[in-house]
Amino acid sequence: MTYTDKDDLIATSRRYKICVLIPTYNNAGTLRDVITDVLNYSSDVIVVNDGSTDSTRQILQSFGETITVVDYKNNKGKGTALKRGFKKALELGYEYAITIDSDGQHYPDYLPKFVQAIAENEGALIIGERDLSNVDINGKSSFANKFSNFWFCVQTGRNLKDTQTGYRAYPLKRLHGLSLLTSRYEAELELLVFASWNGVKIISMPIRVYYPPQSERVSHFKPTLDFTRISILNTILCGIALLYGVPARIWSSIKSKRIFNKEFRPFTCKKGEKKEAATTLGRLVRSLYGLSYFVFWSMFVFTPGAYLYFWFGKNTENKKLRFHKMLQWISNFLTVRFPGAKTIYENPSNETFDKPALIICNHQSHLDLPVLMSINPKLIFLTNDWVWNNFFYGKIIHYAEFLPVSAGMDVILPRLKSLKERGYSIVVFPEGTRSADCSILRFHQGAFLLAQELKMDIVPMVLHGAGYYLPKKDFMFRKGEITLRIMPRVSSDNYIDLALREQASLFRKIIKNEYSEIVKRKETAEYFRSLVLYKYAYRGWATVSRCKHLLNESKRFDEIINSESNHKRVRILNSGIGTFALLYALVNKHSEIYAFENSSSDYKIAETTANIPTNLHYIHAVWNSELDSAENFDFTIILDSDGKNMSTNNTIYLPLKS
């Protein structure tokens, strides 16, 4: 992942609001070359002249308006130069400052790597870790670096190999202790200590350095005076570390949710693979409640009750009908009590089933039977062997005269004719099985052979939501809404002349089209919010908190998410951990969504989410050239915490950046 050219680098730096800050004091011999080299990589350069007495001012004036200069007469030390440079950068609207020394030891060709590190680690302090093993460095400087590293570890509990490097990238809005900063070069150590105490992420990045022969070097280091001052400073910092540093680090960890921030894999994975929806305490409670409720009524109430009911007296027609009415009552009783779900029945044609019909319905869940059984008592289901032999309710469906498909047409057809004559409608799931994603599979012809042989009208029904509430590969309830829509009856005269294959294709198309219409009405942002949260649950405190925040904030923009647009290609910038992009892709299934994110950690969270929709594409992009042109997309959504109001016809800013 590299930038394409200078223009790309400069444009990217400006997008992240990055400047280069060069503090200088009496380095006229190298300053011009350093600034010239830096300008090959950046057009946002601030130079702080810390009271130089050589030709520094003349050199700076020769660059004109290509650089910004902060100048004062008396030398006040590197700490002061940095503070004044940071203040100027903030005044100019920058959010990051890459500091580079003016003595020529730092290579400006590392600036692109700093820009990339800033982009991939938002809010972090990046330090260039020097390899000092093969450079000509005097013993005093080497000792000073090791001395500084030791005290930094004592004061913060963190190990860094190079705390004295001046090649750094500072997050300007996350700097702490500036008012307490000392004026000399030890200020750079203080900045690291204050940042660590306050939870700023510190990242080391290997860099090369150049040290000229010692006879040619310009050094402002005064061993006796500087070591004395540093020793006093470190003694003070150690005391502050106990009184402030340790509590601040603990509070920062809690505030930024860094504790409990590892994924709890027993709840998110199964056999080493991520679950489509994590197991949550809410799902556990709902599922245990639902299962115990169902087992109690089916095994301990209804099954023994049915046995006793048919044991005494004759099995008359009225007795059988009363049993079916009891089945309808218990099904309705259970259906309206599905934990965390709401069941809706739609019957626009006011179908009463007074005249027997063949009912065909798409198959979504184990809950399909009780949902359908609750609409009318005079229904007979054709079931598979798993249902017929079910341990919990197998005996009940035997008493209800349901029939196994595996018995064969020769066995079940005579019995179905008898049931039809008694006024019962026949329910068949023509798919034979369920799809994992709730899509409607190919219809088998057997159902339509039955309709032809029995000379029955066909009543199509469409189920929606049951497969999301209780998925095929998951035995735990989610939150959801289940809809059963009863469509207008189709007379046998309208399809009797069609071949069975054509009948199957025709009715599949009818149900599929109606299902698509229900999807448009029902599968909104609100419908999918719980599913999105399940995908991020137990992946770390910070991740879950960000997901909840984004889902809650996104409610303000449901109109945008739910709008029925013809956007074929949608670009989402600053997609973060991918929550909004995932929600948008689930609702807008017919759009290809390209979600771009610069942060490497956020991209990893988004990209490793289980069962990402096929129309959603997460892309790790740092450089402007990697974002693709807006002209290649029908619509662009920019998630921006600043809440800019710069929307156009095909671009909209949403203040959702977490």
Side-chain angles (χ1 to χ4, degrees):
M1 182 181 291
T2 57
Y3 67 101
T4 57
D5 52 33
K6 178 181 177 180
D7 291 339
D8 186 22
L9 174 59
I10 291 173
T12 302
S13 297
R14 287 182 170 172
R15 179 158 61 91
Y16 296 116
K17 301 177 183 178
I18 301 170
C19 69
V20 178
L21 177 61
I22 307 174
T24 185
Y25 173 63
N26 286 348
N27 282 122
T30 56
L31 180 61
R32 183 183 300 276
D33 289 341
V34 169
I35 295 176
T36 301
D37 288 344
V38 168
L39 287 172
N40 288 326
Y41 298 93
S42 175
S43 293
D44 302 275
V45 180
I46 300 173
V47 182
V48 181
N49 180 18
D50 184 27
S52 298
T53 57
D54 56 8
S55 59
T56 292
R57 285 185 177 84
Q58 291 76 21
I59 293 173
L60 296 179
Q61 290 171 1
S62 69
F63 284 95
E65 296 182 356
T66 59
I67 62 173
T68 299
V69 177
V70 177
D71 191 4
Y72 45 90
K73 291 184 179 180
N74 298 321
N75 174 250
K76 297 182 180 298
K78 192 172 186 180
T80 299
L82 288 173
K83 281 195 289 186
R84 296 196 177 185
F86 294 153
K87 181 180 178 182
K88 187 64 176 180
L90 286 168
E91 289 176 358
L92 295 175
Y94 295 109
E95 294 184 1
Y96 294 90
I98 302 174
T99 59
I100 184 170
D101 290 346
S102 63
D103 58 5
Q105 69 165 288
H106 297 147
Y107 291 95
D109 58 6
Y110 276 95
L111 286 172
K113 293 185 180 295
F114 273 96
V115 172
Q116 181 172 336
I118 289 170
E120 293 184 332
N121 303 276
E122 185 178 358
L125 196 162
I126 316 296
I127 61 174
E129 182 183 306
R130 300 168 294 176
D131 181 4
L132 302 176
S133 59
N134 295 314
V135 296
D136 182 17
I137 183 172
N138 61 49
K140 295 175 183 177
S141 297
S142 177
F143 175 76
N145 192 45
K146 293 178 181 178
F147 186 72
S148 176
N149 297 346
F150 168 77
W151 283 114
F152 177 78
C153 181
V154 170
Q155 292 150 9
T156 67
R158 300 177 60 175
N159 285 308
L160 287 179
K161 294 182 179 180
D162 189 0
T163 56
Q164 289 294 297
T165 177
Y167 210 170
R168 303 180 179 185
Y170 290 97
L172 297 176
K173 293 183 178 180
R174 299 202 64 193
L175 292 180
H176 298 270
L178 283 179
S179 61
L180 303 174
L181 211 62
T182 55
S183 61
R184 298 297 169 180
Y185 84 95
E186 67 272 9
E188 290 176 310
L189 173 62
E190 294 174 75
L191 284 169
L192 285 179
V193 172
F194 293 143
S196 180
W197 284 348
N198 288 278
V200 177
K201 188 177 182 180
I202 300 176
I203 295 176
S204 293
M205 184 180 73
I207 60 170
R208 292 180 298 111
V209 288
Y210 168 71
Y211 282 97
Q214 295 193 28
S215 59
E216 300 177 12
R217 296 178 194 173
V218 177
S219 174
H220 307 296
F221 182 72
K222 300 174 182 179
T224 303
L225 179 62
D226 288 338
F227 270 126
T228 301
R229 189 173 61 251
I230 292 171
S231 297
I232 295 173
L233 172 65
N234 280 312
T235 301
I236 295 172
L237 288 176
C238 287
I240 296 175
L242 294 174
L243 298 175
Y244 171 78
V246 173
R249 285 176 61 194
I250 295 172
W251 170 244
S252 176
S253 296
I254 296 172
K255 186 178 179 181
S256 59
K257 302 177 177 63
R258 287 199 303 273
I259 59 174
F260 307 117
N261 204 30
K262 289 187 177 181
E263 182 174 341
F264 190 54
R265 295 181 64 84
F267 275 23
T268 62
C269 296
K270 183 178 182 180
K271 296 181 179 179
E273 294 185 1
K274 267 199 171 73
K275 299 177 182 178
E276 180 183 3
T279 300
T280 65
L281 294 178
R283 293 187 70 199
L284 274 172
V285 170
R286 284 195 298 274
S287 301
L288 290 173
Y289 168 78
L291 179 61
S292 60
Y293 201 81
F294 175 78
V295 169
F296 172 77
W297 280 98
S298 62
M299 291 194 65
F300 298 106
V301 177
F302 208 73
T303 297
Y307 177 80
L308 294 174
Y309 180 75
F310 284 104
W311 179 263
F312 297 102
K314 295 181 179 180
N315 292 334
T316 63
E317 186 63 30
N318 286 335
K319 188 174 186 179
K320 293 177 181 178
L321 180 58
R322 283 196 299 270
F323 181 74
H324 276 272
K325 288 181 177 179
M326 286 188 287
L327 264 182
Q328 181 191 16
W329 180 87
I330 193 65
S331 296
N332 186 68
F333 183 80
L334 293 172
T335 300
V336 298
R337 287 167 175 78
F338 285 156
K342 178 182 179 182
T343 306
I344 298 173
Y345 296 92
E346 299 177 354
N347 188 7
S349 59
N350 295 316
E351 176 63 55
T352 61
F353 302 100
D354 290 338
K355 180 183 177 181
L358 180 78
I359 298 171
I360 59 172
C361 185
N362 60 311
H363 197 10
Q364 287 210 325
S365 167
H366 293 301
L367 305 177
D368 295 354
L369 259 68
V371 172
L372 268 69
M373 287 165 61
S374 62
I375 63 174
N376 193 277
K378 303 189 77 172
L379 300 181
I380 297 296
F381 287 77
L382 295 185
T383 70
N384 58 31
D385 288 343
W386 187 90
V387 175
W388 178 257
N389 297 314
N390 189 272
F391 177 75
F392 295 109
Y393 53 81
K395 291 294 183 182
I396 297 174
I397 65 174
H398 295 180
Y399 289 130
E401 300 181 274
F402 293 0
L403 298 171
V405 177
S406 61
M409 192 66 72
D410 293 341
V411 174
I412 65 176
L413 192 57
R415 298 182 64 181
L416 291 177
K417 287 180 179 179
S418 173
L419 288 163
K420 174 196 170 185
E421 292 170 359
R422 290 160 53 192
Y424 285 86
S425 294
I426 314 301
V427 183
V428 181
F429 297 104
E431 295 167 283
T433 187
R434 299 167 289 149
S435 63
D437 61 357
C438 298
S439 61
I440 297 174
L441 303 175
R442 182 177 66 87
F443 280 11
H444 298 294
Q445 299 175 26
F448 306 97
L449 176 60
L450 284 177
Q452 183 174 294
E453 292 292 330
L454 297 172
K455 295 181 174 59
M456 300 179 81
D457 298 340
I458 293 180
V459 177
M461 292 188 186
V462 182
L463 259 173
H464 175 268
Y468 285 101
Y469 177 63
L470 183 62
K472 182 175 182 178
K473 296 182 179 180
D474 195 345
F475 293 96
M476 299 188 69
F477 295 136
R478 302 174 183 174
K479 289 183 179 180
E481 182 178 279
I482 300 172
T483 300
L484 177 65
R485 185 172 179 82
I486 304 171
M487 298 174 64
R489 177 184 292 253
V490 179
S491 172
S492 59
D493 296 335
N494 294 341
Y495 64 84
I496 197 68
D497 294 331
L498 296 176
L500 293 178
R501 178 176 55 81
E502 294 173 329
Q503 292 180 36
S505 177
L506 171 65
F507 281 97
R508 179 179 182 270
K509 185 176 181 180
I510 291 173
I511 289 180
K512 188 175 180 181
N513 289 343
E514 190 64 31
Y515 184 80
S516 297
E517 291 301 316
I518 296 176
V519 166
K520 289 180 182 179
R521 288 191 290 115
K522 298 287 186 178
E523 295 190 6
T524 62
E526 189 59 35
Y527 180 86
F528 283 116
R529 277 195 176 89
S530 60
L531 175 60
V532 173
L533 182 57
Y534 290 143
K535 289 180 177 291
Y536 286 86
Y538 290 97
R539 295 175 67 184
W541 185 14
T543 298
V544 176
S545 179
R546 288 177 68 184
C547 176
K548 288 181 177 179
H549 168 75
L550 285 166
L551 287 175
N552 186 57
E553 288 294 300
S554 68
K555 292 178 181 179
R556 295 182 289 132
F557 307 105
D558 278 358
E559 185 177 349
I560 295 170
I561 301 172
N562 298 334
S563 62
E564 293 185 20
S565 64
N566 295 319
H567 302 317
K568 293 183 179 179
R569 288 169 58 86
V570 177
R571 180 174 65 158
I572 298 177
L573 302 183
N574 303 330
S575 67
I577 58 176
T579 301
F580 179 85
L582 176 57
L583 183 64
Y584 192 93
L586 287 169
V587 175
N588 297 275
K589 296 178 176 60
H590 301 295
S591 299
E592 291 295 319
I593 314 300
Y594 297 84
F596 295 84
E597 175 53 37
N598 51 279
S599 168
S600 55
S601 57
D602 282 1
Y603 167 76
K604 184 177 180 181
I605 292 171
E607 194 268 337
T608 55
T609 301
N611 289 78
I612 298 172
T614 57
N615 66 322
L616 175 58
H617 315 280
Y618 289 118
I619 300 171
H620 183 207
V622 169
W623 309 104
N624 274 23
S625 57
E626 295 174 320
L627 297 179
D628 210 339
S629 172
E631 298 174 354
N632 296 328
F633 298 90
D634 303 308
F635 190 49
T636 295
I637 299 173
I638 301 176
L639 306 184
D640 192 338
S641 57
D642 293 335
K644 296 177 181 177
N645 187 18
M646 298 171 56
S647 302
T648 62
N649 288 336
N650 61 350
T651 300
I652 187 169
Y653 285 78
L654 301 182
L656 283 173
K657 184 73 173 176
S658 62

